[in-house]
């Protein structure tokens, strides 16, 4: 259920709901003590997507994938939104496009919603994952 979750995370909700139902059945089968330690599939999909986006953003991937990462967003005026955005805010494509739920547009929106405290000062994937995990749980 974890394999390539960053790719199928943009699937329609009715399909994702089927996977959630499978996890609920597994939780019943393994019992409460073990099941209570599991995070939701949505939570794990978001962490996987953001971690992969973090790697792509910092160029830890092929040159072809690096070119697909949305560019940094620049603000022409000082607004409340520009003040509340972090230095890693990227441009997002229009939400009504056909590909709005594909990996980059969907994850870019989630990426832009993260607070600055999630981003370590230097590239550190483990610290980023931990920070995102704690932020999404709160």
């Amino acid at each position: 259920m974890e394999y390539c979750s960053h790719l199928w995370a943009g699937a329609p909700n009715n399909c994702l709901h089927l996977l959630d139902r499978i996890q609920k059945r597994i939780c019943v089968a393994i019992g409460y003590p073990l099941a209570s330690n599991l995070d939701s599939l949505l939570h794990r999909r978001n962490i996987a997507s953001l971690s992969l986006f973090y790697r792509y953003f910092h160029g830890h991937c092929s040159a072809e994938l690096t070119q697909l990462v949305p560019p940094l967003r620049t603000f022409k005026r000082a607004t409340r939104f520009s003040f509340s955005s972090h230095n890693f805010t990227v441009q997002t494509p229009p939400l009504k496009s056909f590909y709005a739920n594909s990996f980059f547009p969907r994850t870019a929106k989630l990426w832009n919603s993260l607070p600055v405290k999630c981003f370590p000062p230097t590239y550190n994937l483990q610290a980023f994952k931990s920070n995102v995990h704690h932020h999404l749980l709160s």
Side-chain angles (χ1 to χ4, degrees), residues 6 12 16 31 46 50 89-90 93 126:
H6 55 280
L16 296 176
N46 286 341
L50 286 167
T89 302
V90 295
Q126 289 305 104

Side-chain angles (χ1 to χ4, degrees), residues 81-118:
F81 179 72
S82 67
F83 284 123
S84 65
S85 298
H86 50 74
N87 293 336
F88 304 103
T89 302
V90 295
Q91 295 176 13
T92 54
L95 294 177
K96 293 185 179 187
S97 75
F98 177 73
Y99 300 104
N101 280 336
S102 63
F103 175 75
F104 280 111
R106 180 183 41 78
T107 309
K109 184 178 175 186
L110 186 58
W111 172 271
N112 289 344
S113 71
L114 294 174
V116 70
K117 68 179 183 176
C118 287

